[in-house]
Amino acid sequence: MGLAFSVFPAGAQNVGQNGSTIVDEQRVAMDRLRLATDELEKNIAANAEVDAGLVDTRLQLEEAERELIRTSVAFRPRLAEINGRLEQLGAPPAEGQPPEPELITSERQALLAEKAEINAALGVAEDQSIRINGLITRITEMRRDLFSRLLTRRYDIGSALAGEVAEAAQIEIGEFYRTVSSWLRFVVQFKLRSVLFATFFALLAAAVLLIGGRRLFGRLFEADGDVENPSYLSRLSVAFWSTLVPTAAIAVFLATTYLLYDYFGVLRDDIGTMMTWLFIVIGLVFFVHRLGSSVLSPRLPNWRLIAVDTRAARLLLWLVSATAIFTGIDVFLSTVYGVLDSPLSLTVGESLIATVLTGILVVLIGLVRPSTGEDGGPRQWHPLLRSTLFLLGGVTIAAALFGYIGLARFLSTQIVVTGAVLATMYIGFLSARAVAEEGAFANTALGRRIEGRFSLDPATLDQLALVVSTAINILIVVVGVPLILFLWGFQPADIQAWVYKAATGITIGSFTISFTGILSGVLVFILGFFLTRWFQGWLDGSVMARGKVDAGVRNSIRTVIGYAGLAIAALIAVSAAGIDLSNFALIAGGLSLGIGFGLQNVVSNFVSGLILLAERPFKAGDWIVAGAVSGTVKKISVRATEIETFQRQTVILPNSELINSAVGNWTHRNKLGRVDIKVNVAYDSDSKRAHDLMLGIAREHPLVLKNPEPFVLFVNFGPAALEFEIRVFIADILNGNTVQNDIRFAILEAFERENIAIPSTARFIPPPPEENWPTDDDKLEAEHFEQAKASEEKARQPPAQRRKGRKPDPD
């Protein structure tokens, strides 16, 4: 490919150089990207057989593509300015029209030339982008082919291989001994103090982590043999922490040792490579053994996570550990062979033995009878698990014996490493599910510790348990999934590229989803929410409270500010998330009709709430009467109003009912109100004296206002009494019941003292029963028995006796 800007016209270049520096700056950037792409294309050919090198090259190409996009975007502001200015200048005059000023003509030509230059640069950037995308696709195909060839390559497994392996092994053992011994002599003579210091410091770091973990997690770290029936969550916790903390301590020791050795110049290149993989193998074998011990718990059956017999647990632990050991030895020796440049036959022979042994161990695991059946005999694994183990072990053995050593090594390694990771993830998921169960977290040592320190109630602990469970699940996915991808051949650069694409945006049609944008929008909304709540509290507690603003007004202002703040926070969050609302315009238009019909009441209540907050016919604290509901207004929201009755019942009334119906407000303008008390006086009493007594009692009450003054009204001549009505005004109508109660008691005492009677309505007195027989079934049964007895006696009498009492016929 030629120079990046060789296609530009000379005149346009001059205009660009004189008119705008942006073109010159981006020209330099594009030239640099073109040269970098040329070098990366050469690296592809050089790393054709190295997967890590291809991944690194692809990562650099993707970064170059992003920089190219940023370079192209840099032209947009200047291009927009040019287009805007050209619209202001308008089209050149047509033929026959008066010519325009020379200054305008020259400016238009310069702008058009600069626009052409920018368009040419954008075309070059597009070509460069197409080239980079093609190289990325080429790398992907090369990596796929490399992985396929690694797994499908077949080696000749014959009788001659044994002799070659024996001869090569004898030579390479001597070479390995000389390499290690020469390094040890160098260390003893020149670096002994550095090695001792590094080893001591690494041991100290591991001890701090191990001891600190034991002190921090306490009973969560080790199983207690005195506990006969530990909960499942306790067993999961012990298995998890007893695996994680010691493994982390070993990892810290090994990593610190290697880093300090490298820092002090102790390691050579060959020794450094072998030590790296030796430490990895040690950590892997320890992790698998520790995990198996935690899950199977051969010494403490009560803490076992899976239902297996003790003998089977011990056997399974040794089989799993042996599988990890053989796989680790194979990985380490393969690294040694690569460092020493050993013959290929040695690598093939050693891997053949290691993979066959690993496959046999997997098959033996499938043959174990882990538990006892209902008939008392040993019971096998679940058929699906047993078949999976047989299949994995059989395929590994067959692939090794048929010469597919790469495939066999891949399978044996994934059986051990991926199996350990999946087992750990499964334990983590079980722990998260157990933590989320109601009341489970409160029964753990950690839950009791948190409850005692922060004085949390059981409901809050359950909510905290849900948060902890969610965090555990997220942590397992974030850590476990990338680790499994690494184990299956993906490079860190692959994960980095996927994460970047997921973060910057996934395009589906014309719609782009950006997880980074969504996260930014959520964070902006949360920040706006808390700012709104803080501003509400500050305005209500500092400004309006000092200004003696009415409580109802404060509530209305606080509510309006709350909804306005949330609406603004939502709009800013949508903008920060990069969501283009125009993409939803068509969907919103199609749904608006159906939503309009379905949400009529909701919208009506919302609008009514806004009217109530604006007009304020009543406010928080007012005593209102709305239909059959009478009580104090507690809260006015945009959908409904909360009213507390005098029986302390909370009634939620939709705002539309309060707008469309009559509402009585006892405290709308002020709390001044009138209380009416009805009193009956007997006809034969002194009515004038009664009137004076009632008026005096009303005037003497401390809560009754002097202006307007109290008044006693002679209402009517009732059918049984003279009817009076005491009318008094009080400053706070909420004290009306107290005033009525006091006045009534005072009237009773005064009327009794003055012998003034208060008549009452005559009461109905039921008549006494006619006889002593109970009006129940016993009386009816007795009467029926007497009638039946009389009929029976009459039937026994002779006919003559029955006719004896008959009168003679008249003459």
Side-chain angles (χ1 to χ4, degrees):
M1 188 174 180
L3 292 176
F5 286 84
S6 60
V7 296
F8 290 170
Q13 290 182 9
N14 293 332
V15 172
Q17 293 172 359
N18 297 329
S20 178
T21 59
I22 186 67
V23 177
D24 295 330
E25 294 174 356
Q26 302 311 316
R27 178 188 291 114
V28 175
M30 288 186 179
D31 284 339
R32 178 171 51 82
L33 288 175
R34 178 182 57 81
L35 295 176
T37 304
D38 293 339
E39 292 297 325
L40 292 174
E41 189 173 8
K42 296 177 182 178
N43 291 340
I44 294 176
N47 297 315
E49 299 296 327
V50 182
D51 185 70
L54 292 175
V55 172
D56 184 66
T57 303
R58 192 190 72 175
L59 195 62
Q60 296 181 48
L61 286 171
E62 291 177 347
E63 178 61 29
E65 184 181 17
R66 291 192 289 270
E67 187 174 353
L68 187 64
I69 293 174
R70 291 192 293 268
T71 301
S72 302
V73 171
F75 286 115
R76 292 182 180 177
R78 179 57 184 166
L79 196 59
E81 292 178 5
I82 293 174
N83 292 330
R85 182 56 182 163
L86 289 175
E87 290 181 1
Q88 293 177 357
L89 296 177
E95 186 178 355
Q97 293 183 351
E100 62 183 359
E102 184 65 24
L103 182 61
I104 295 178
T105 302
S106 59
E107 183 181 1
R108 181 186 295 108
Q109 292 176 354
L111 292 174
L112 290 174
E114 188 176 356
K115 183 178 180 180
E117 187 176 6
I118 292 176
N119 288 332
L122 292 175
V124 172
E126 184 177 358
D127 294 339
Q128 188 74 2
S129 178
I130 294 173
R131 180 192 177 194
I132 292 176
N133 287 327
L135 293 176
I136 293 174
T137 304
R138 178 183 168 189
I139 289 176
T140 303
E141 294 175 353
M142 291 176 65
R143 292 187 63 209
R144 188 183 299 113
D145 181 66
L146 181 63
F147 183 74
S148 176
R149 285 188 285 111
L150 176 66
L151 296 183
T152 58
R153 184 176 179 180
R154 185 176 182 276
Y155 298 91
D156 186 16
I157 306 296
S159 58
L161 180 63
E164 295 179 6
V165 170
E167 182 180 357
Q170 185 178 2
I171 298 173
E172 296 304 319
I173 289 174
E175 182 66 24
F176 177 73
Y177 173 78
R178 287 189 294 272
T179 301
V180 175
S181 61
S182 64
W183 175 71
L184 289 176
R185 286 193 299 271
F186 165 76
V187 169
V188 172
Q189 293 177 3
F190 303 102
K191 297 290 185 179
L192 183 59
R193 295 181 60 183
S194 299
V195 168
L196 293 177
F197 172 78
T199 306
F200 172 76
F201 190 80
L203 285 173
L204 181 62
V208 169
L209 178 61
L210 188 61
I211 296 174
R214 289 179 181 273
R215 291 180 61 87
L216 178 63
F217 298 105
R219 294 182 178 272
L220 298 178
F221 188 82
E222 292 183 351
D224 188 358
D226 297 333
V227 180
E228 296 182 357
N229 189 22
S231 64
Y232 190 67
L233 180 58
S234 299
R235 287 182 283 163
L236 284 171
S237 301
V238 169
F240 179 77
W241 293 112
S242 62
T243 301
L244 178 64
V245 176
T247 304
I250 290 293
V252 167
F253 169 72
L254 297 176
T256 306
T257 301
Y258 180 84
L259 292 175
L260 290 178
Y261 282 4
D262 184 64
Y263 177 78
F264 290 117
V266 176
L267 300 177
R268 301 193 311 240
D269 291 340
D270 53 352
I271 297 297
T273 303
M274 289 188 291
M275 185 174 290
T276 299
W277 284 99
L278 177 63
F279 285 176
I280 292 176
V281 169
I282 292 174
L284 174 64
V285 172
F286 179 84
F287 171 69
V288 172
H289 180 75
R290 191 70 187 184
L291 178 64
S293 300
S294 301
V295 173
L296 297 171
S297 186
R299 297 182 179 179
L300 297 174
N302 294 338
W303 291 88
R304 201 167 291 156
L305 287 180
I306 57 177
V308 296
D309 297 334
T310 301
R311 180 177 176 278
R314 294 173 180 172
L315 179 59
L316 286 173
L317 177 60
W318 284 111
L319 289 175
V320 170
S321 301
T323 304
I325 291 173
F326 285 129
T327 303
I329 292 174
D330 179 37
V331 172
F332 174 69
L333 291 180
S334 298
T335 304
V336 172
Y337 299 152
V339 171
L340 299 179
D341 198 15
S342 303
L344 180 62
S345 59
L346 183 60
T347 304
V348 172
E350 181 273 324
S351 298
L352 173 64
I353 297 173
T355 52
V356 169
L357 289 176
T358 301
I360 292 174
L361 290 173
V362 173
V363 173
L364 291 177
I365 293 174
L367 291 174
V368 172
R369 299 177 182 270
S371 58
T372 303
E374 297 179 355
D375 56 353
R379 185 174 61 182
Q380 295 179 341
W381 295 107
H382 188 277
L384 180 60
L385 177 59
R386 188 172 69 253
S387 301
T388 303
L389 292 173
F390 287 163
L391 178 63
L392 291 175
V395 171
T396 303
I397 296 172
L401 295 179
F402 282 103
Y404 295 99
I405 302 299
L407 176 60
R409 290 190 62 198
F410 179 80
L411 288 175
S412 62
T413 304
Q414 300 311 319
I415 288 172
V416 176
V417 183
T418 306
V421 174
L422 290 176
T424 306
M425 293 177 64
Y426 182 66
I427 292 175
F429 287 129
L430 290 179
S431 301
R433 187 173 65 181
V435 167
E437 292 182 359
E438 186 176 359
F441 186 66
N443 295 326
T444 61
L446 180 61
R448 288 190 292 268
R449 188 180 304 175
I450 294 176
E451 181 181 9
R453 182 168 184 178
F454 299 100
S455 301
L456 301 179
D457 57 353
T460 305
L461 274 178
D462 281 340
Q463 294 174 356
L464 180 61
L466 291 177
V467 175
V468 172
S469 175
T470 304
I472 292 174
N473 287 323
I474 294 175
L475 181 63
I476 292 171
V477 173
V478 170
V479 176
V481 172
L483 186 57
I484 291 177
L485 293 177
F486 293 155
L487 298 175
W488 280 76
F490 295 94
Q491 300 294 330
D494 294 323
I495 309 299
Q496 182 180 351
W498 294 341
V499 171
Y500 181 84
K501 289 182 179 179
T504 55
I506 299 175
T507 302
I508 304 176
S510 61
F511 187 74
T512 301
I513 301 176
S514 174
F515 293 103
T516 303
I518 293 175
L519 180 60
S520 301
V522 172
L523 293 178
V524 168
F525 181 77
I526 293 174
L527 179 62
F529 174 81
F530 284 108
L531 283 177
T532 301
R533 289 291 180 263
W534 170 82
F535 183 74
Q536 281 181 293
W538 174 79
L539 184 65
D540 184 32
S542 299
V543 178
M544 292 190 291
R546 292 183 181 180
K548 306 299 181 182
V549 180
D550 182 74
V553 177
R554 290 166 58 183
N555 178 74
S556 299
I557 295 176
R558 187 171 59 249
T559 304
V560 171
I561 289 177
Y563 284 108
L566 291 180
I568 295 173
L571 292 176
I572 297 176
V574 170
S575 177
I579 299 176
D580 186 6
L581 296 179
S582 62
N583 294 328
F584 298 98
L586 183 60
I587 299 176
L591 295 178
S592 60
L593 183 61
I595 293 176
F597 281 109
L599 301 180
Q600 287 185 38
N601 293 333
V602 176
V603 175
S604 175
N605 291 325
F606 179 78
V607 175
S608 300
L610 296 179
I611 294 174
L612 291 176
L613 291 174
E615 294 186 354
R616 297 180 58 249
F618 53 82
K619 57 187 179 298
D622 283 357
W623 174 15
I624 67 171
V625 179
V629 179
S630 177
T632 305
V633 177
K634 290 297 182 181
K635 182 181 179 182
I636 303 173
S637 62
V638 293
R639 191 199 69 82
T641 297
E642 179 181 330
I643 301 174
E644 184 181 277
T645 65
F646 298 107
Q647 292 81 23
R648 293 297 185 266
Q649 180 190 30
T650 299
V651 180
I652 309 299
L653 280 180
N655 290 329
S656 59
E657 294 187 11
L658 299 174
I659 288 291
N660 299 325
S661 302
V663 178
N665 190 346
W666 285 93
T667 56
H668 181 47
R669 302 297 180 188
N670 50 56
K671 295 185 178 181
L672 177 67
R674 194 185 78 181
V675 176
D676 298 339
I677 305 172
K678 295 182 179 180
V679 181
N680 291 338
V681 178
Y683 273 98
D684 56 354
S685 299
D686 188 351
S687 60
K688 187 64 176 176
R689 180 58 180 163
H691 177 275
D692 295 338
L693 288 174
M694 289 185 285
L695 185 59
I697 291 172
R699 288 174 175 174
E700 291 174 359
H701 197 282
L703 296 181
V704 174
L705 296 178
K706 306 302 179 183
N707 185 24
E709 64 178 354
F711 179 73
V712 178
L713 178 65
F714 189 175
V715 178
N716 190 23
F717 293 97
L722 302 174
E723 298 176 357
F724 290 85
E725 188 173 284
I726 304 173
R727 297 176 179 177
V728 296
F729 290 88
I730 57 178
D732 190 352
I733 192 64
L734 298 178
N735 296 325
N737 290 332
T738 301
V739 173
Q740 294 183 53
N741 195 55
D742 295 343
I743 291 178
R744 288 193 177 103
F745 274 112
I747 289 174
L748 282 176
E749 295 175 358
F751 279 16
E752 184 178 0
R753 186 174 61 251
E754 298 291 336
N755 295 321
I756 299 175
I758 300 177
S760 60
T761 305
R763 298 177 181 177
F764 172 75
I765 300 176
E770 297 179 356
E771 50 184 305
N772 295 328
W773 281 98
T775 56
D776 54 13
D777 293 340
D778 294 337
K779 178 181 178 181
L780 298 176
E781 185 176 356
E783 291 176 353
H784 177 72
F785 177 78
E786 293 292 337
Q787 293 176 1
K789 185 177 181 181
S791 300
E792 185 177 355
E793 290 177 355
K794 185 178 180 180
R796 291 197 194 101
Q797 294 178 0
Q801 293 182 4
R802 280 183 287 179
R803 291 193 299 266
K804 184 177 180 180
R806 184 178 178 181
K807 294 181 180 182
D809 294 335
D811 294 336

